[in-house]
Amino acid sequence: MIYKKIVFLVTLLAFATSFSQSTDLKPLLKTDYTIKKNVDTLHVKYPLHANVTRDKTIKSKDTTALSFVKDFDLFKNNYFLRHYKSLIFKQDSSAIIYQWKEPIVVYFDHNIPQEITKNISQFILSIPKIDNLNITISKDINKANYYIKIANQEVSALTNKQKAEAPKDLIDTYPFSKIIYDWNGDYNYKMYSGVLQISPSYINDPQLLDDLKKAFFISLIQSKGYRVYDNTSILSSSNSNFSTLGAMDVVLLKYHYKNLYKFKVDYTVFSALENYYKQLAND
């Protein structure tokens, strides 16, 4: 289809996995990705311009790094597992799990209207306590690593071609049609800073509050999809003018951050971990 570059709808299909025997799992889960003592320098533009040294060591996936699997109860909750994989991977075998490894400290651009800053701040601070995920707000940009700002020009995650080809109702419900998100992280896809930029023309649009809240939530999990067919989620097309995360969203965050992976996890590795859990349960 001509819209295949824009993934608008999240299906709730269970993903079939091909690693059913321990002999298949062991080579995959013990693959060594370590790059020894290798670093590079990255120029970080947000919140402040700075040069940081980035460790390029990618951790090995060894037996000791898998000790968490036996207690990872996401794998025994088929309903939420189906939702989670649909949202995070969207049937894309190359999709990768992103996680924040640093406490998130949010700073708002002073040009954002006060009522918007207040509304979004209340939403962020209403997020329940999640293990391995800490979020606060600061008025000091020097202490922040997450910047919400008005862009210098009109922005969109969609190309002009995508805008021209996609149905208007789908574009209107896409939270990144006038908002963009960028992040910095290490080679294991652990994030340590990010920025949400809003198109100047969108700042007074009534839809902004909903889209900004959705965009912030999505930035915590870097999901491939943006719609969930569960009425308790803020990503449900039936929800608007919400002030807090829904029950589904909180559970998704808890599962997403229950374990901070010590190695890169794509769909193939996640499927192997799922099957490894089943093997341990059957032993």
Side-chain angles (χ1 to χ4, degrees):
M1 295 177 62
I2 60 176
Y3 314 126
K4 63 182 180 181
K5 291 185 179 180
I6 313 174
V7 180
F8 285 103
L9 300 177
V10 176
T11 59
L12 296 181
L13 298 177
F15 291 84
T17 55
S18 58
F19 304 96
S20 59
Q21 298 181 8
S22 59
T23 53
D24 296 323
L25 292 173
K26 288 179 180 177
L28 176 66
L29 295 177
K30 290 190 176 182
T31 302
D32 189 348
Y33 284 94
T34 299
I35 304 174
K36 294 183 179 179
K37 297 185 181 302
N38 197 353
V39 299
D40 64 3
T41 299
L42 177 71
H43 182 74
V44 180
K45 294 183 291 183
Y46 43 84
L48 296 174
H49 287 272
N51 290 322
V52 299
T53 300
R54 183 168 57 168
D55 187 356
K56 292 176 67 174
T57 301
I58 301 179
K59 305 295 178 62
S60 300
K61 297 193 292 292
D62 56 23
T63 303
T64 59
L66 299 176
S67 58
F68 70 93
V69 175
K70 63 182 177 62
D71 298 318
F72 198 21
D73 53 0
L74 168 63
F75 291 134
K76 68 179 181 182
N77 190 327
N78 292 330
Y79 175 75
F80 283 110
L81 180 62
R82 186 168 65 248
H83 280 272
Y84 181 78
K85 293 201 295 187
S86 180
L87 187 64
I88 299 299
F89 298 111
K90 193 58 180 71
Q91 302 186 61
D92 182 352
S93 60
S94 65
I96 296 167
I97 289 179
Y98 296 76
Q99 296 170 310
W100 279 85
K101 72 171 186 177
E102 301 291 339
I104 299 172
V105 182
V106 179
Y107 175 84
F108 287 90
D109 182 354
H110 66 274
N111 291 317
I112 297 176
Q114 185 67 30
E115 61 272 20
I116 294 177
T117 296
K118 181 179 179 180
N119 190 296
I120 301 301
S121 295
Q122 290 174 341
F123 169 78
I124 292 173
L125 295 177
S126 74
I127 296 175
K129 179 177 175 57
I130 305 289
D131 289 345
N132 298 315
L133 178 65
N134 183 275
I135 308 173
T136 57
I137 296 173
S138 177
K139 294 183 179 180
D140 185 351
I141 193 172
N142 293 288
K143 297 178 179 178
N145 62 351
Y146 194 116
Y147 194 10
I148 299 178
K149 62 174 291 189
I150 301 175
N152 296 325
Q153 60 186 9
E154 296 302 303
V155 295
S156 176
L158 305 176
T159 66
N160 290 333
K161 181 179 179 182
Q162 289 170 337
K163 292 178 185 178
E165 293 178 343
K168 185 179 182 304
D169 63 324
L170 292 180
I171 289 181
D172 289 344
T173 58
Y174 183 52
F176 292 100
S177 61
K178 295 181 181 179
I179 297 173
I180 59 173
Y181 172 72
D182 197 10
W183 60 277
N184 289 315
D186 63 22
Y187 285 74
N188 292 297
Y189 296 85
K190 300 297 182 288
M191 298 177 285
Y192 49 74
S193 68
V195 59
L196 275 177
Q197 297 191 67
I198 308 162
S199 287
S201 65
Y202 200 45
I203 199 67
N204 293 314
D205 193 297
Q207 184 63 30
L208 172 64
L209 289 176
D210 280 358
D211 281 351
L212 199 52
K213 292 170 186 177
K214 289 179 181 180
F216 183 81
F217 172 62
I218 291 172
S219 75
L220 300 180
I221 56 177
Q222 289 287 300
S223 59
K224 294 287 290 184
Y226 79 96
R227 281 187 177 178
V228 172
Y229 295 99
D230 184 291
N231 290 334
T232 69
S233 173
I234 67 170
L235 300 184
S236 169
S237 58
S238 63
N239 279 340
S240 62
N241 299 318
F242 42 81
S243 59
T244 63
L245 290 178
M248 166 65 78
D249 308 318
V250 173
V251 173
L252 286 170
L253 278 180
K254 287 183 176 180
Y255 279 138
H256 192 74
Y257 283 95
K258 183 176 178 64
N259 175 76
L260 290 182
Y261 299 105
K262 297 179 180 180
F263 46 84
K264 172 184 169 183
V265 178
D266 57 19
Y267 171 70
T268 301
V269 172
F270 188 81
S271 298
L273 292 173
E274 180 183 352
N275 281 275
Y276 183 50
Y277 173 86
K278 293 176 181 177
Q279 290 174 16
L280 293 175
N282 291 329
D283 285 347

